[in-house]
Amino acid sequence: MLWVKAFHIVFVASWFAGLFYLPRIFVNLAMVAPGSVAERDRLLLMARKLLRFTTLLAVPAVALGVWLWMGYGIGRGPGNGWMHAKLAVVVLVIGYHHACSVLLRKLADGTSRRSHVWFRWFNEAPVLLLVAAVVLVVVKPF
């Protein structure tokens, strides 16, 4: 079980690293001057590759978490209300990941009307989600 837990933590940390950086690329894309085709194309390429890699990291992170939960019973049974809250956080993280892919599509096809300031605020969400998940798992407040 400790190996599964260790790799779960590694993949979750790596997944979040991608979710921290991808919206920073969006900030830069939103600030590209009109006519800067090469810069825009380079940033879009970086964002696409990072999204693809981040998605590949998310899959084992979620799979190993499900293995810990269902296979080893972590968070199951009475007195484990923290797990319900953590699962809600995981659903929000997956939703955020999906929102990143939608935003990237809109940035790529030129239909995004979001400002670089909006993307800066959007970039703060995964920090809050990571803090919530870690507190729930370590402190187990309920």
Side-chain angles (χ1 to χ4, degrees), residues 75-105:
R76 293 178 69 184
N80 287 301
W82 62 272
M83 181 56 93
H84 298 290
K86 183 187 176 244
L87 291 172
V89 170
V90 171
V91 168
L92 290 172
V93 173
I94 292 169
Y96 183 87
H97 188 125
H98 175 71
C100 285
S101 66
V102 170
L103 288 167
L104 178 55
R105 260 183 263 127

Side-chain angles (χ1 to χ4, degrees), residues 14 16 45-46 48 54 61 66 73 80-81 85 92 96 114 122-124 128 135 140-141:
S14 301
F16 269 92
L45 178 66
M46 288 171 58
R48 286 184 182 116
T54 302
V66 169
N80 287 301
L92 290 172
Y96 183 87
R114 305 285 187 187
F122 179 74
N123 190 42
E124 301 306 319
L128 300 174
V135 167
K140 295 179 177 56

Side-chain angles (χ1 to χ4, degrees), residues 65-76:
V66 169
W67 187 358
L68 288 167
W69 178 41
M70 300 302 285
Y72 290 108
I74 293 177
R76 293 178 69 184

Side-chain angles (χ1 to χ4, degrees), residues 4-136:
V4 176
K5 191 182 290 188
F7 281 105
H8 174 63
I9 292 167
V10 167
F11 280 105
V12 168
S14 301
W15 179 21
F16 269 92
L19 293 179
F20 290 154
Y21 190 63
L22 186 59
R24 293 300 306 163
I25 297 174
F26 295 168
V27 168
N28 292 321
L29 274 165
M31 294 175 64
V32 170
S36 298
V37 177
E39 181 182 6
R40 183 178 182 280
D41 288 348
R42 181 177 41 84
L43 289 168
L44 284 171
L45 178 66
M46 288 171 58
R48 286 184 182 116
K49 285 184 175 188
L50 182 58
L51 179 63
R52 189 176 314 116
F53 186 63
T54 302
T55 301
L56 289 173
L57 294 167
V59 171
V62 171
L64 291 167
V66 169
W67 187 358
L68 288 167
W69 178 41
M70 300 302 285
Y72 290 108
I74 293 177
R76 293 178 69 184
N80 287 301
W82 62 272
M83 181 56 93
H84 298 290
K86 183 187 176 244
L87 291 172
V89 170
V90 171
V91 168
L92 290 172
V93 173
I94 292 169
Y96 183 87
H97 188 125
H98 175 71
C100 285
S101 66
V102 170
L103 288 167
L104 178 55
R105 260 183 263 127
K106 288 183 177 185
L107 284 162
D109 65 20
T111 60
S112 174
R113 300 293 171 237
R114 305 285 187 187
S115 72
H116 68 94
V117 174
W118 187 89
F119 284 114
R120 289 177 199 275
W121 282 105
F122 179 74
N123 190 42
E124 301 306 319
V127 174
L128 300 174
L129 293 168
L130 181 60
V131 168
V134 169
V135 167
L136 288 166

